[in-house]
Amino acid sequence: MNTAINTKISRFPIVSYEEATPEVKAIYDDTKKTLQIPFVLNWFKCQGNNATLLAGNWGKLKSTLMLGDVPNVLKQLIIYNVSKNRNCEYCAHAHGIFADSMSSMISNNENFRVTENLDSPIIPESYRKAIKIVTKAALNHAQVSDKDFEDLQEAGFDDLEIQELMAQADLVNMLNTIADVSGIKIDNELMEANA
């Protein structure tokens, strides 16, 4: 039996920082700086052999998730919730950790983990409504209605914020597809952070 098959962590080559081309290293550096983590996530490393693809996907992720007016914690919760509903283990785990690291933005209770309390009244009603509607958009986009947009407006989101929220539905579909198709495993560093 070939033991390499048992240790393989992706269907695509995993390109470590040390093995990366200068162009890919520059993208890896930007991911670490932007996400404020000291390592490169497997989600990026499984695209490290294709600098064009990696640059495009990182650009989309960075613009959609890290920039804009909608709070990052809400975006992370949307991606976590969609990923959990879709059984994308990698994305649910990673974005759950990122969301939980921002729990203090929602509650002063140091034991509060936002991912374990998505229905809690501690979470602003506007967040709960956005999570529900954008999850529906990601999982069943044809079922999104004008009423959903009206509900988001009533929750206090303006037109640009609603567009930004709906962009999370598209982003999470890309994130989940790449994670699941590539077969990547949870990063050891993320496992340790969650221990």
Side-chain angles (χ1 to χ4, degrees), residues 159-173:
D159 290 345
L160 289 176
E161 290 169 331
I162 292 170
Q163 191 172 23
E164 193 177 325
L165 284 167
M166 289 301 180
Q168 302 314 306
D170 173 56
L171 177 66
V172 71
N173 287 336

Side-chain angles (χ1 to χ4, degrees), residues 24-37:
V24 169
K25 272 186 184 169
I27 298 167
Y28 282 179
D29 286 337
D30 193 34
T31 70
K32 294 191 297 182
K33 179 182 172 190
T34 303
L35 299 173
Q36 299 178 9
I37 55 176

Side-chain angles (χ1 to χ4, degrees), residues 2-71:
N2 185 344
T3 56
I5 292 172
N6 293 337
T7 59
K8 187 175 181 182
I9 61 169
S10 175
R11 293 181 179 118
F12 301 135
I14 293 288
V15 180
S16 69
Y17 186 87
E18 296 73 28
E19 299 167 326
T21 65
E23 184 180 5
V24 169
K25 272 186 184 169
I27 298 167
Y28 282 179
D29 286 337
D30 193 34
T31 70
K32 294 191 297 182
K33 179 182 172 190
T34 303
L35 299 173
Q36 299 178 9
I37 55 176
F39 60 95
V40 180
L41 291 165
N42 286 338
W43 193 87
F44 299 111
K45 290 193 283 191
C46 79
Q47 301 171 68
N49 67 325
N50 188 328
T52 302
L53 184 68
L54 177 63
N57 288 338
W58 168 237
K60 179 175 182 165
L61 189 158
K62 183 178 180 180
S63 297
T64 308
L65 181 61
M66 304 307 293
L67 305 177
D69 294 327
V70 174

